[in-house]
Amino acid sequence: MALEKSMAAIPEFLSKAELLKQGAEARVYRARFLGRPTIVKERFRKQYRHPLLDEKLTHRRTVQEVRSVLRCRRAGISVPVVYFVDYSSHSIFLEEIVGSSTVRDHIASSPPSARCEGLEPLAERVGQVLARMHDEDVIHGDLTTSNMLLRCGPEDGVSELFLIDFGLSYISALPEDKGVDLYVLEKAFLSTHPHTEALFQRLLKSYAAASKKSSAVIKKLEEVRLRGRKRSMVG
Amino acid sequence: MTIVIGFEGSANKIGIGIIRDGEVLSNPRRTYITPPGQGFLPSDTARHHRAVILTVLKEALEQAGLKPADIDCVAFTKGPGMGSPLVTVALVARTVAQLWGKPLLGVNHCIAHIEMGRLITQADNPTVLYVSGGNTQVIAYSERRYRIFGETIDIAVGNCLDRFARVIKISNDPSPGYNIEQMAKKGSQYVELPYTVKGMDVSFSGITSYIEEAAHKMISSGQCSAEDLCFSLQETVFSMLVEITERAMAHCGSGEVLIVGGVGCNLRLQEMMGVMCKERNAKLFATDERFCIDNGAMIAQAGWEMFRSGQVTELEDSWITQRYRTDEVEVTWRD
């Protein structure tokens, strides 16, 4: 009886929360939890997947996400605070970064907001943050400009850059995995924001300068880029 | 009125099709099928195409009720694909273009799949999942390019399925993928297999080597049947494809999905994609085996679009290429 009650608690809580969006992975709600503005990420069951596969994947991704966020936090990278995790509903309760917008919206909007830094310093900042994350051996796994939040400062435009959505993340020291991580971002970046090659180069330069292990990673990135091109395509 | 004939033979299918202003007048095709356990090699495939191509060409004209003089443009697959089969077909296309005095058009095979899908389904601006034996890409149109949002970082999903079919010696007639699909319907036990999605990209080499190595052991030990493995393989790789498609849709804010390519014939894949679309209030578009599987009419259709937007391929530029990225082509016929 008590178990059923507690299992029903999260869905009941969420039914009263504000649904912000339904991403590919999860529903994202806004709520108040322990008196704080909270984002709840609920990984719901994907009906198209076989139930056993779905359960394994969903559980694995919930665990990986929380682990990676905590690891980043310990390393001083700006990520939301994890308040609570419920493994039966696969829900993660996270700090809401109030007053922020995605880097994607930021790049897409023109003219850019006067209160925030311009696109070039932004690209440099992103490179630095990613360098710190990779030096911590955290592979984000789904780097896109929608997974980076910018919260602009009050007056002089000093802003804070947050990384979010660590659902596909894992721990790895391999330059190959870091290279692929950057490759995923490069592809997402250039497809979403056409004609921004120079901006992305700036990001990579900043990454290379900020990371102690960057040369091997950049080399792997170049290799991975060629792989797509060199592959024989038939049929 | 514009009539285009298209020649396709980049893999083991040789097809010639004729399109007149969006109407498919004819679309005959032959498939080079190898014995179970064997894949198709370039030289044998080219030999097969050489032997039948003129017969197929005659069929295409007869079924359409046309003479060479009625054709406005000769389109052919420039790439990507296997070298010698591509050359064989391009040779014939070049020859008839000169014989008939018609302009030539070298077409990108992947874009042909997309344009045929758009024509048949009338999808407006879909996220495209292009899946076949040689390609696995998630594509979205933006600013005169078919941009690749996600793809396989190693082998195509169809290649994974074909290789598994060889391991358990399933017949290649009519295609290995079709037979895996039929066997999967009889499978019920889900066997855990490696699942690899990296952002918008997928990787199939891990699951391929795993299942190539473990299949015989699992079947002979009685842990599961070949049907169970077919079932589990489909569930796993198709879930990966649906996942990256959904990601791309979420990223682009798209409400339509179009599946093209030979693997797109698979009804289970269509079913799974349909479930995902329903959850998002999106629409799913798919074609049947006439147009999913490589065919000549799709080359004609892409050629029709290109020709009408003023493109022509000079003879000295009509070489073929094994590697030809979807995003290399400037899509002059869309704005």
Side-chain angles (χ1 to χ4, degrees):
Chain A
M1 175 65 186
L3 179 65
E4 276 144 23
K5 255 187 98 172
S6 65
M7 280 180 74
I10 303 279
E12 209 204 298
F13 177 84
L14 291 177
S15 68
K16 302 198 192 86
E18 179 198 345
L19 176 67
L20 284 182
K21 68 168 178 163
Q22 180 151 318
E25 284 282 287
R27 278 186 283 266
V28 179
Y29 298 85
R30 179 187 278 142
R32 280 196 86 79
F33 181 71
L34 301 179
R36 292 160 195 263
T38 302
I39 295 289
V40 183
K41 184 168 174 178
E42 179 204 18
R43 280 190 166 74
F44 50 86
R45 166 136 167 58
K46 301 301 279 182
Q47 304 291 343
Y48 68 81
R49 281 189 203 136
H50 188 281
L52 287 175
L53 171 61
D54 188 67
E55 176 56 41
K56 276 228 153 58
L57 266 181
T58 309
H59 181 80
R60 188 171 90 195
R61 286 179 181 174
T62 307
V63 168
Q64 278 176 326
E65 177 158 16
V66 176
R67 250 187 221 148
S68 298
V69 169
L70 292 178
R71 197 166 162 131
C72 279
R73 194 160 182 84
R74 275 199 299 272
I77 300 164
S78 292
V79 290
V81 176
V82 178
Y83 292 147
F84 175 58
V85 185
D86 175 49
Y87 288 102
S88 57
S89 64
H90 304 113
S91 307
I92 307 174
F93 286 54
L94 294 152
E95 169 196 4
E96 180 182 0
I97 315 295
V98 182
S100 66
S101 57
T102 64
V103 168
R104 176 179 185 216
D105 291 340
H106 214 70
I107 296 178
S109 72
S110 74
S113 155
R115 282 177 63 217
C116 255
E117 58 213 13
L119 292 183
E120 273 137 29
L122 175 61
E124 279 171 18
R125 181 84 83 79
V126 174
Q128 284 163 9
V129 171
L130 294 181
R132 202 151 13 127
M133 183 186 75
H134 280 173
D135 280 352
E136 242 350 88
D137 292 341
V138 173
I139 311 299
H140 186 283
D142 191 12
L143 285 173
T144 69
T145 50
S146 307
N147 287 338
M148 298 172 191
L149 296 181
L150 198 61
R151 179 162 64 190
C152 297
E155 299 112 16
D156 56 3
V158 172
S159 50
E160 204 177 346
L161 181 72
F162 290 82
L163 295 178
I164 60 167
D165 219 333
F166 284 77
L168 289 188
S169 61
Y170 56 100
I171 309 298
S172 168
L174 295 177
E176 158 94 21
D177 291 333
K178 295 173 188 176
V180 170
D181 214 20
L182 291 178
Y183 181 64
V184 167
L185 176 61
E186 181 175 62
K187 297 234 313 237
F189 200 99
L190 297 178
S191 341
T192 318
H193 311 286
H195 316 303
T196 53
E197 285 83 356
L199 200 61
F200 193 79
Q201 280 309 306
R202 214 167 173 143
L203 192 160
L204 286 181
K205 259 216 176 89
S206 164
Y207 174 94
S211 163
K212 305 164 205 128
K213 317 169 193 169
S214 64
S215 56
V217 176
I218 302 291
K219 194 155 164 286
K220 277 296 173 182
L221 169 61
E222 281 159 15
E223 264 173 51
V224 174
R225 273 192 201 129
L226 287 175
R227 229 184 268 159
R229 269 152 227 290
K230 273 196 171 158
R231 188 172 60 251
S232 163
M233 297 163 91
V234 174
Chain B
M1 186 174 71
T2 307
I3 301 180
V4 180
I5 188 168
F7 288 72
E8 156 58 32
S10 57
N12 65 334
K13 278 77 71 183
I14 165 89
I16 300 174
I18 301 179
I19 295 236
R20 175 182 62 205
D21 295 337
E23 197 191 336
V24 180
L25 299 181
S26 62
N27 200 12
R29 172 175 69 206
R30 298 281 193 284
T31 307
Y32 171 50
I33 296 174
T34 46
Q38 283 182 40
F40 52 89
L41 298 170
S43 48
D44 300 329
T45 310
R47 213 165 291 133
H48 167 270
H49 291 354
R50 264 210 297 284
V52 302
I53 189 169
L54 295 179
T55 312
V56 180
L57 174 55
K58 272 210 206 91
E59 268 174 32
L61 287 167
E62 275 165 15
Q63 284 169 20
L66 296 174
K67 295 180 304 300
D70 304 321
I71 307 287
D72 293 305
C73 170
V74 176
F76 68 100
T77 310
K78 184 179 183 64
M82 295 170 107
S84 33
L86 279 171
V87 168
T88 303
V89 174
L91 227 135
V92 175
R94 282 182 214 124
T95 308
V96 301
Q98 289 178 87
L99 271 174
W100 302 343
K102 306 292 174 179
L104 259 180
L105 252 178
V107 170
N108 178 300
H109 179 93
C110 315
I111 291 190
H113 273 292
I114 299 173
E115 290 304 334
M116 197 62 187
R118 283 180 65 225
L119 172 70
I120 298 295
T121 65
Q122 292 291 299
D124 178 38
N125 192 16
T127 303
V128 180
L129 174 66
Y130 170 32
V131 275
S132 68
N135 293 286
T136 296
Q137 299 174 10
V138 176
I139 297 157
Y141 175 76
S142 163
E143 295 192 17
R144 302 223 143 177
R145 297 268 155 174
Y146 281 115
R147 294 176 196 271
I148 301 174
F149 266 79
E151 61 184 325
T152 174
I153 61 178
D154 37 55
I155 61 173
V157 62
N159 194 219
C160 169
L161 294 168
D162 292 347
R163 281 160 70 163
F164 175 64
R166 296 208 281 271
V167 162
I168 56 174
K169 300 238 180 356
I170 297 177
S171 164
N172 291 323
D173 186 3
S175 76
Y178 177 82
N179 292 324
I180 290 178
E181 185 178 358
Q182 304 318 307
M183 283 179 71
K185 288 181 192 164
K186 301 191 210 117
S188 53
Q189 194 198 147
Y190 170 73
V191 176
E192 199 186 339
L193 298 170
Y195 183 102
T196 314
V197 167
K198 298 200 175 190
M200 298 275 206
D201 294 331
V202 284
S203 164
F204 293 108
S205 62
I207 190 172
T208 308
S209 36
Y210 180 88
I211 206 168
E212 278 177 339
E213 223 236 275
H216 288 303
K217 268 182 261 163
M218 286 199 256
I219 298 172
S220 53
S221 74
Q223 182 190 339
C224 63
S225 65
E227 286 80 3
D228 293 331
L229 281 178
C230 288
F231 169 69
S232 306
L233 181 61
Q234 280 196 169
E235 294 300 304
T236 311
V237 300
F238 292 165
S239 290
M240 288 162 63
L241 295 174
V242 174
E243 181 172 348
I244 60 167
T245 308
E246 188 170 19
R247 274 171 200 286
M249 288 171 77
H251 200 59
C252 304
S254 159
E256 290 179 323
V257 177
L258 170 64
I259 310 179
V260 298
V263 180
C265 294
N266 190 300
L267 295 174
R268 179 61 189 139
L269 173 59
Q270 289 182 24
E271 190 185 2
M272 287 167 76
M273 196 69 79
V275 171
M276 178 276 280
C277 283
K278 193 148 169 260
E279 278 179 0
R280 304 182 64 83
N281 287 321
K283 284 190 75 176
L284 172 65
F285 296 92
T287 59
D288 61 46
E289 57 84 39
R290 288 171 298 163
F291 305 110
C292 261
I293 300 179
D294 292 347
N295 62 92
M298 74 186 196
I299 304 297
Q301 174 58 17
W304 185 91
E305 294 276 24
M306 292 166 77
F307 186 61
R308 300 246 309 188
S309 76
Q311 289 194 46
V312 148
T313 305
E314 299 302 326
L315 200 58
E316 54 267 24
D317 298 325
S318 67
W319 37 268
I320 59 99
T321 174
Q322 285 182 244
R323 297 170 237 300
Y324 193 7
R325 296 282 283 170
T326 313
D327 51 14
E328 262 179 66
V329 176
E330 202 193 333
V331 181
T332 53
W333 56 97
R334 289 182 69 173
D335 41 42

